[in-house]
């Protein structure tokens, strides 16, 4: 068993801009087999960076999510990949297992403890960075497309298609048989979307007309990762308004009378994503791969928006 007293992490002690993120030295968390015999400690090799993380840091969520501030630093990070080094007796994992999984907080660190239900086994050939990119954005795309019942023959519109979630959603929709996938993005990303199998359209004024030109028979399902203006356009082009879901603008969805849904991550989705990757049907493009100490820069990149692909932090094996 690998045991150390302290670990490196990145945390904040007050809400604010990315600069509030600081390298810290914290006690290594341990598995408590009595409190949770399914718990697993993972030595993190990479952690994904998501808009959720930037929202936590900025104080955009209920304070109950970060009750210890400012006395105790909060470590962001909700998706990761690494090696099991301590496991509860009922976890089904053992030291040395390579895994990827999800949490709510705590992944920007050398170690994280989670229930075994939050983990899946990483394919041996899958890089750590790819594995860390899938538990958040990959699951988000997977669950949204399942919610929309996307399948063979569908015409699917994906807003913000060149982002971390959008690029995965394009590929999953194609893998599940969608006949046409239309992706909104800036023109600089249009060739990239074509490589993924999408028909790119430019966002902004005239979007409705451009989508109708790309899908003259109408759109079957819409996955929104852009917000209000995209939703306003979506209701004009979709056949059935019940097949629109948004990942970021619940208020606009309620205003427009669109379906409300509650995403729920599940490690079985990670198995599906790993299978798609192993079959060559899913690839991850990285906007940036940065060391853990550069988490503030990673947050700046994510908050800037309109980027292509995923931002991931790497953690040195110790």
């Amino acid at each position: 068993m690998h045991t150390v007293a302290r670990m490196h992490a990145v945390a904040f002690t007050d809400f604010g801009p990315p600069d509030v993120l600081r390298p810290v030295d914290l006690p290594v968390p341990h598995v408590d087999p009595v409190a949770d015999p399914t718990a697993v400690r993972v030595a993190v090799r990479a952690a994904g960076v998501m808009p959720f993380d930037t929202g936590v840091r900025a104080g955009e969520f209920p304070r109950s999510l970060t009750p210890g501030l400012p006395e105790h630093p909060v470590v962001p990070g909700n998706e990761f990949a690494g090696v099991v080094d301590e496991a509860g007796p009922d976890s089904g994992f053992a030291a040395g297992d390579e895994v990827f999984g999800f949490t709510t907080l705590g992944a920007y660190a050398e170690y994280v403890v989670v229930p075994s239900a939050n983990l899946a086994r990483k394919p041996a050939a899958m890089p750590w960075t790819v594995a860390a990119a899938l538990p958040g954005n990959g699951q988000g795309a997977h669950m949204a497309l399942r919610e929309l019942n996307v399948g063979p023959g569908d015409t699917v519109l994906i807003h913000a298609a060149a982002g971390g979630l959008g690029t995965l959603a394009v590929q999953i929709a194609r893998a599940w048989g969608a006949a046409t996938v239309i992706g909104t993005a800036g023109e600089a990303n249009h060739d990239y979307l074509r490589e993924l199998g999408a028909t790119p359209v430019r966002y902004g004024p005239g979007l409705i007309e451009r989508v109708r030109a790309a899908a003259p028979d109408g759109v079957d399902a819409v996955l929104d990762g852009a917000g209000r203006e995209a939703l306003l356009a979506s209701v004009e082009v979709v056949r059935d308004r019940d097949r629109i879901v948004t990942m970021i603008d619940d208020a606009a969805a309620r205003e427009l009378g669109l379906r409300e849904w509650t995403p729920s991550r599940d490690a079985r989705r990670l198995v599906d994503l790993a299978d798609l990757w192993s079959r060559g049907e899913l690839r991850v493009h990285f906007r940036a791969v940065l060391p853990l100490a550069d988490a503030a820069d990673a947050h700046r990149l994510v908050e800037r928006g309109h980027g292509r692909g995923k931002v991931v932090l790497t953690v040195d094996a110790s």
Side-chain angles (χ1 to χ4, degrees):
M1 183 184 299
H2 182 70
T3 57
V4 291
R6 310 287 291 183
M7 69 175 182
H8 297 299
V10 169
F12 61 92
T13 54
D14 201 3
F15 300 122
D19 289 341
V20 301
L21 292 171
R22 293 279 192 275
V24 294
D25 192 46
L26 297 174
V28 172
H30 286 279
V31 167
D32 184 340
V34 175
D36 183 1
T38 75
V40 175
R41 186 173 73 189
V42 178
V44 178
R45 295 291 179 262
V49 180
M50 295 186 62
F52 175 83
D53 303 340
T54 68
V56 169
R57 186 215 72 232
E60 296 172 1
F61 295 101
R63 183 61 184 266
S64 58
L65 190 64
T66 53
L69 286 181
E71 291 82 8
H72 302 286
V74 171
V75 177
N78 72 96
E79 56 178 354
F80 61 90
V83 181
V84 173
D85 83 327
E86 189 176 11
D90 298 336
S91 68
F93 291 95
D97 289 344
E98 296 185 347
V99 297
F100 63 128
F102 55 94
T103 180
T104 301
L105 300 168
Y108 294 4
E110 290 183 296
Y111 296 90
V112 64
V113 173
V114 298
S116 60
N118 290 24
L119 297 173
R121 297 180 188 278
K122 180 185 79 66
M126 181 182 283
W128 292 119
T129 50
V130 171
L134 295 178
N137 287 138
Q139 281 206 81
H142 187 289
M143 70 180 75
L145 294 172
R146 280 283 185 243
E147 183 77 9
L148 290 166
N149 197 30
V150 167
D154 278 340
T155 294
V156 182
L157 172 60
I158 298 174
H159 292 292
L165 185 143
T167 55
L168 297 174
V170 167
Q171 296 172 81
I172 295 169
R174 290 306 304 270
W176 289 353
T180 302
V181 178
I182 301 167
T184 68
E187 290 184 5
N189 288 319
H190 283 195
D191 285 344
Y192 172 62
L193 289 180
R194 291 187 187 98
E195 292 175 14
L196 297 180
T199 300
V201 297
R202 179 171 49 84
Y203 48 73
L207 175 60
I208 294 172
E209 290 73 23
R210 288 190 292 276
V211 171
R212 285 176 173 159
D217 295 328
V219 170
D220 296 301
V222 181
L223 171 53
D224 166 51
R228 180 181 177 81
E229 294 304 314
L231 288 172
L232 289 171
S234 297
V235 298
E236 299 297 325
V237 298
V238 75
R239 296 186 224 272
D240 179 359
R241 289 165 61 112
D242 197 46
R243 293 188 75 187
I244 301 174
V245 298
T246 182
M247 303 300 291
I248 65 170
D249 200 337
D250 293 339
R254 284 191 294 272
E255 180 184 329
L256 293 168
L258 305 178
R259 70 187 300 162
E260 295 187 41
W261 69 299
T262 303
S264 177
R265 292 188 287 182
D266 186 319
R268 288 172 294 187
R269 291 193 181 89
L270 297 182
V271 175
D272 285 349
L273 293 166
D275 288 344
L276 287 172
W277 183 87
S278 296
R279 295 199 302 266
E281 296 183 295
L282 188 67
R283 63 188 176 102
V284 178
H285 178 88
F286 295 98
R287 192 183 330 176
V289 176
L290 302 171
L292 178 63
D294 291 346
D297 288 337
H299 276 219
R300 291 185 190 98
L301 284 172
V302 170
E303 289 182 324
R304 194 173 300 155
H306 303 301
R308 178 193 302 176
K310 184 70 181 178
V311 178
V312 169
L313 299 170
T314 57
V315 182
D316 290 335
S318 56

